[in-house]
């Protein structure tokens, strides 16, 4: 069995499955004055999730370029003061062949945040690191990309 779209190529047999993601992506940890941006998004199963902004890369786009574009598209934020690549994460190293960049962007939240409604992003909040930790403990954040990015963030804080 083979199936393909603009983002993935799936190859399967009765005993194995392999997903090749055609382009990479980025998870964006947007921060200003010890606050971190979370967006609330409705996913394809109609559940709502608090997450860091993220998205697929376009052809030949670096993780950093993806982060800047996705942050602008999803939130209208563009005044990036400093950007640091914290590393990469594989969504499922046993199944999906791709590395996603984790990008820390320091910016100014005084800009007008305008959410991308067409992608079902309908709310946002600015939280402290302790509030973020509490949201994870309370199961308010279960998105694997956000959890991985949080782990990278904590690793550089300590």
């Amino acid at each position: 069995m083979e199936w393909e779209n603009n983002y993935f190529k799936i190859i399967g047999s009765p005993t194995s499955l392999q997903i090749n993601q055609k382009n990479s992506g980025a998870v964006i940890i947007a921060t200003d004055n010890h606050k971190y941006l979370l967006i609330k998004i409705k996913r394809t199963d109609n559940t709502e999730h608090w997450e860091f902004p993220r998205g697929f890369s376009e052809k030949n786009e670096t993780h950093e370029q993806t982060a800047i574009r996705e942050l602008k598209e999803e939130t209208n934020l563009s005044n990036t003061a400093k950007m640091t690549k914290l590393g990469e994460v594989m969504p499922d190293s046993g199944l999906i062949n791709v590395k996603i960049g984790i990008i820390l962007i320091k910016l100014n939240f005084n800009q007008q945040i305008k959410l991308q409604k067409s992608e079902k992003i309908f709310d946002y909040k600015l939280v402290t690191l302790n509030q973020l930790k509490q949201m994870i403990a309370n199961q308010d954040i279960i998105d694997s990309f956000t959890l991985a990015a949080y782990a990278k963030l904590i690793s550089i804080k300590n």
Side-chain angles (χ1 to χ4, degrees):
M1 170 196 88
E2 274 194 33
W3 179 85
E4 188 170 0
N5 68 10
N6 290 339
Y7 302 105
F8 299 99
K9 180 175 183 180
I10 301 173
I11 302 166
S13 72
T15 58
S16 71
L17 181 66
Q18 179 182 353
I19 301 173
N20 294 310
Q21 189 169 318
K22 294 181 179 181
N23 293 319
S24 186
V27 181
I28 303 110
I29 305 172
T31 183
D32 179 25
N33 199 26
H34 307 291
K35 296 274 187 161
Y36 298 87
L37 174 68
L38 292 173
I39 58 172
K40 194 167 197 179
I41 186 167
K42 186 177 276 193
R43 291 294 178 191
T44 56
D45 64 354
N46 284 322
T47 59
E48 299 171 359
H49 296 271
W50 285 108
E51 304 175 358
F52 286 134
R54 63 180 162 100
F56 289 109
S57 297
E58 293 182 356
K59 191 171 177 101
N60 299 321
E61 201 173 47
T62 67
H63 290 140
E64 292 85 353
Q65 291 167 329
T66 300
I68 290 169
R69 181 184 49 75
E70 285 290 339
L71 189 63
K72 175 70 173 163
E73 287 175 4
E74 293 186 356
T75 67
N76 197 45
L77 294 171
S78 62
N79 183 13
T80 58
K82 183 181 177 189
M83 185 173 2
T84 306
K85 185 173 182 180
L86 301 184
E88 297 174 333
V89 63
M90 293 185 75
D92 183 337
S93 60
L95 183 63
I96 304 171
N97 184 19
V98 71
K99 292 181 182 173
I100 307 298
I102 298 174
I103 310 297
L104 176 66
I105 298 179
K106 294 184 180 180
L107 47 74
N108 183 343
F109 287 142
N110 289 333
Q111 300 173 68
Q112 177 67 35
I113 294 177
K114 183 178 177 191
L115 301 174
Q116 186 181 29
K117 302 292 184 187
S118 64
E119 292 289 327
K120 299 182 181 176
I121 301 169
F122 61 93
D123 200 2
Y124 76 92
K125 66 167 91 176
L126 306 174
V127 297
T128 65
L129 206 51
N130 283 335
Q131 290 170 320
L132 188 57
K133 179 180 177 182
Q134 192 60 52
M135 289 179 75
I136 292 169
N138 291 343
Q139 297 287 301
D140 295 326
I141 296 175
I142 60 170
D143 170 63
S144 62
F145 289 104
T146 302
L147 294 171
Y150 173 79
K152 287 284 190 182
L153 180 64
I154 293 302
S155 74
I156 66 163
K157 292 278 185 194
N158 295 333

